Amino acid sequence: MTKPPFTILHEDNHIIVVVKPQGIPSQSDKSGDSDLLSQIKDHIKERDNKPGNVFVGLVHRLDRPTGGVMVFAKTSKAAARLSEQFASGDITKKYLAVVVGEPRDKSARLRHFLTKNSHTNISMAHIAKVTDSKEAVLDYKSLEFADRITLVDIRLITGRSHQARVQMQKIGCPIFGDTKYGGDTLAKGHNLALWAYELQFEHPVQKTTMVFKVFPPEEQVPWKYFVLDRWIDVSKPIDN
């Protein structure tokens, strides 16, 4: 059997939790590039020798350049219940990011109103509510400063498109490597330094609390400039 191009952290009859690689879309888009949802379906179909279509439900997304933990549903019931948790904000989503510069406040809650240009796929953060805007809230904490960049822990309270990227840009600290939002001044040719390192949710059937944590690629720039396990208690991905 062909080894899948992603790491499986957990799988049962109802869900599959994987590490999304950076640079691939969560689901198919107009680029036509290989996407994670299709890869998971293909893997299950080949591994289990299933005829016909395989059901895998997408219940949340990560931006194409962002890597980290994602959960997918394997049944329609699990998909509906997980979607409810994401919609109600009952799921904990934490990110590590490296930002350019140093935030003025060591820790803060950021609250903005985001609009999105569908033609350019670029969001904009506003201080006050404007037409067609959606409220975006996150908490961040600066962990360590190293030569013009800062390691930051981010917890998303809402789940808006490009939220962490555009909100950190709004306070003058774009994410390292972010070509859309001005974070590539020090980072030409490097991946976006935004990683979904923790996902916590209630199992849609068993009702147990599920917690998954993974390191970003710590050997790569800019992660290698920080001792990540000094700040975050995470487990490295399991190689299944």
Side-chain angles (χ1 to χ4, degrees):
M1 186 185 72
T2 305
K3 185 177 180 179
F6 52 85
T7 300
I8 299 174
L9 298 176
H10 171 85
E11 184 176 4
D12 57 41
N13 291 333
H14 311 284
I15 62 173
I16 180 169
V17 181
V18 306
V19 181
K20 176 189 173 296
Q22 292 183 277
I24 70 169
S26 297
Q27 64 180 136
S28 61
D29 61 18
K30 60 185 179 182
S31 72
D33 295 340
S34 178
D35 65 279
L36 183 57
L37 178 61
S38 297
Q39 290 176 3
I40 293 172
K41 289 181 179 180
D42 291 344
H43 169 68
I44 293 174
K45 183 179 178 66
E46 179 188 356
R47 183 195 64 193
D48 299 346
N49 195 26
K50 288 196 170 186
N53 295 326
V54 173
F55 178 87
V56 178
L58 182 79
V59 296
H60 69 128
R61 297 172 180 80
L62 290 177
D63 291 346
R64 182 177 184 136
T66 305
V69 186
M70 289 188 70
V71 58
F72 292 81
K74 293 177 65 179
T75 67
S76 56
K77 178 189 291 186
R81 291 178 177 177
L82 285 170
S83 295
E84 287 175 4
Q85 290 185 57
F86 276 101
S88 62
D90 292 333
I91 287 180
T92 298
K93 297 171 287 184
K94 292 183 179 180
Y95 295 74
L96 280 179
V98 177
V99 300
V100 178
E102 186 173 15
R104 182 189 64 185
D105 300 316
K106 183 174 177 59
S107 62
R109 170 162 288 192
L110 302 183
R111 188 184 305 272
H112 296 102
F113 294 88
L114 304 191
T115 54
K116 186 173 183 179
N117 186 320
S118 59
H119 298 293
T120 61
N121 194 31
I122 292 178
S123 296
M124 182 175 292
H126 308 268
I127 299 300
K129 191 172 184 178
V130 299
T131 303
D132 296 328
S133 63
K134 295 181 179 179
E135 186 178 38
V137 183
L138 65 77
D139 294 330
Y140 79 83
K141 181 179 180 181
S142 297
L143 302 177
E144 184 178 354
F145 180 75
D147 189 23
R148 297 184 291 169
I149 56 176
T150 306
L151 180 67
V152 178
D153 189 343
I154 296 173
R155 178 180 178 181
L156 293 186
I157 308 302
T158 56
R160 308 303 183 194
S161 177
H162 298 180
Q163 178 179 338
R165 299 163 66 181
V166 70
Q167 287 195 273
M168 296 309 293
Q169 178 210 37
K170 186 67 174 179
I171 64 168
C173 294
I175 294 175
F176 184 98
D178 196 342
T179 57
K180 279 186 180 289
Y181 298 102
D184 60 337
T185 53
L186 302 175
K188 299 293 185 183
H190 293 293
N191 283 333
L192 176 74
L194 180 63
W195 186 266
Y197 80 88
E198 179 177 336
L199 185 64
Q200 179 174 323
F201 57 91
E202 181 183 85
H203 192 283
V205 176
Q206 299 168 2
K207 303 302 181 182
T208 53
T209 298
M210 311 288 286
V211 183
F212 298 94
K213 301 180 183 183
V214 291
F215 270 123
E218 54 191 323
E219 75 286 352
Q220 294 183 10
V221 174
W223 305 109
K224 69 179 186 178
Y225 300 134
F226 304 96
V227 183
L228 301 179
D229 57 8
R230 178 190 302 167
W231 305 104
I232 308 295
D233 179 19
V234 296
S235 300
K236 293 184 179 180
I238 302 167
D239 188 11
N240 286 341

